[in-house]
Amino acid sequence: MLAIVLFTLMINSGVGLDWVSLNSLVKNKPDEAIQAYQIALSRDNLTSRDYYRLHSLAIRAGAITFNNSVLLAALEALKNKDFDALIEENKVKLLANIGVAYRYREQNQQAIWHYRCAMNEATSSQYKAALKVNIAIAYTRINQPSLGYSLLKNIEKRFLPDYMRAGLATALGNITFALGESEEALRYFQEAAKQYRDDENYKAMRQVSVNSLGIHLLNEDFASYHKVLAEVELDDELMSAKQHYLSWLTELERLLKQGSNKPNLNTPDIMKAYALGAAKEDYAAMVNAHIDKFSLSIPKVDAQIVVKEPLPIELGKPWCLNL
């Protein structure tokens, strides 16, 4: 809330918009970024470029927060002809951001189509490499990890900015874990966390660190588990969003510490509920790995991909005739 108060004072003082602070809010406090966006729109001295940048920030923040009304309103605003020239300059980013919005909502085929539209507009090797990462992630989500892996392994890291290297490492971690390579996955997750920290994207850093927690328990490395958990616990929103999975990990640690030498651990009934909840939070593969490794006496769980707040299809059509 302090960030919003300071932003309001900045607007009222007549100084220019602080784009660095706004971008930081999108990455780390996207709900506050939306509030800041709505405040900034009330200014009288904004240029068309200012409005374009504000709407673009709103699309990114709306994607992350599932705030469809803000996202759709910003896209509608960009249809104004005043923005045509700016959109031509930034069409790759616009289409990619729409793809990200679909990806967050598990509308992965829509995400792939929009990423491919962006690739058709991209002229730099950096943008094309970044879009391949996003396409690979979406393929993984529709149970085609091998296809995603083949795309990712052909990407040259030197073409990627630091924040996209983190995305690449995260995607490779998820795919290698799905392919049964937990130690390699852990290295990728740790690489991603470091990159996100260096980029000051602490929200993404903690999100990817949640993936490392499960592998640390697979290895019964309790010291590393608690070191990472202490960082994750700083994000109340993340703790709430992943509460069943984190409860699963807490109970699993307790079982391992009290009976790690037993061939079959006596699993309390509550863990069945945690397992089902973790599957809904996108951790079915990790839970099943724990069940296998420690011979837990509960059935495996199926992945449960939930489409949350779906968006209308083909939102990028005004800027991509191939849709």
Side-chain angles (χ1 to χ4, degrees), residues 271-292:
M271 289 195 75
K272 295 178 183 178
Y274 291 154
L276 291 171
K280 292 179 181 178
E281 293 164 1
D282 203 20
Y283 290 95
M286 188 68 73
V287 167
N288 289 337
H290 293 148
I291 291 171
D292 280 341

Side-chain angles (χ1 to χ4, degrees), residues 54-126:
L54 284 169
H55 292 319
S56 297
L57 288 170
I59 291 166
R60 290 167 53 206
I64 298 168
T65 59
F66 298 89
N67 192 327
N68 289 0
S69 61
V70 165
L71 188 154
L72 293 172
L75 285 173
E76 188 63 30
L78 291 182
K79 293 178 183 178
N80 189 304
K81 291 188 178 299
D82 290 344
F83 298 119
D84 284 355
L86 290 166
I87 287 175
E88 280 302 313
E89 293 176 22
N90 299 279
K91 193 180 291 185
V92 174
K93 290 183 180 179
L94 174 59
L95 290 167
N97 286 335
I98 296 171
V100 169
Y102 282 122
R103 166 59 199 93
Y104 269 102
R105 288 152 182 77
E106 297 294 351
Q107 294 172 271
N108 290 294
Q109 194 58 63
Q110 285 291 319
I112 291 169
W113 290 338
H114 282 76
Y115 293 146
R116 291 200 179 280
C117 278
M119 279 195 72
N120 289 338
E121 298 288 338
T123 56
S124 77
S125 298
Q126 183 182 90

Side-chain angles (χ1 to χ4, degrees), residues 1 10 45 50 68 78-79 91 119 251 320:
M1 186 57 68
M10 179 188 71
N45 59 340
D50 288 334
N68 289 0
L78 291 182
K79 293 178 183 178
K91 193 180 291 185
M119 279 195 72
E251 189 64 22
C320 179

Side-chain angles (χ1 to χ4, degrees), residues 12 34 59 80 85 119 198 207 219 251 283 307 318 320-321:
N12 292 336
I34 289 173
I59 291 166
N80 189 304
M119 279 195 72
D198 291 345
Q207 174 71 61
N219 297 335
E251 189 64 22
Y283 290 95
V307 178
C320 179
L321 299 179

